[in-house]
Amino acid sequence: MSENHFDPILEELKERSVDRLMKADTFDASAFEALKDHLWRKAEGLKHESSISKQVLFSLRSAVATIRSRAEYLPSVREQLIGLTILS
């Protein structure tokens, strides 16, 4: 299966990390780490692709935007920003 096909694991990881932070203001560092690791593995498979799926791009953009928006209000998110390489 191509890395550009719909990925139910990616969807679940996004729900556990990004969606949970957005809905419940709960930052789960291990969930974000799992999301980052999964995206890195997908990136390896996408090296030679000429395009990237909307699902992958949306997951990345929503993670960054959500972390940045919640960092202003939640100290636990602010503390984690420095250690998150997903923003790099």
Side-chain angles (χ1 to χ4, degrees):
M1 179 169 96
S2 169
E3 293 297 336
N4 269 326
H5 289 144
F6 181 79
D7 183 348
I9 296 170
L10 177 57
E11 189 64 24
E12 178 195 341
L13 291 170
K14 186 182 83 54
E15 288 172 4
R16 285 182 27 217
S17 57
V18 176
D19 294 353
R20 185 172 180 210
L21 179 57
M22 284 183 5
K23 293 175 185 172
D25 283 339
T26 301
F27 183 83
D28 182 345
S30 64
F32 274 94
E33 189 67 28
L35 175 64
K36 182 187 80 168
D37 290 344
H38 188 73
L39 285 167
W40 274 109
R41 286 191 300 276
K42 283 188 82 62
E44 285 296 316
L46 291 168
K47 276 187 194 179
H48 302 292
E49 294 287 329
S50 60
S51 63
I52 299 174
S53 77
K54 289 179 184 179
Q55 181 192 22
V56 171
L57 294 174
F58 178 74
S59 296
L60 286 168
R61 292 189 65 174
S62 64
V64 171
T66 301
I67 290 169
R68 285 184 177 155
S69 72
R70 294 305 193 264
E72 185 177 341
Y73 306 104
L74 298 171
S76 61
V77 176
R78 239 188 335 267
E79 292 166 7
Q80 295 296 324
L81 276 177
I82 295 171
L84 282 177
T85 57
I86 195 168
L87 297 177
S88 304

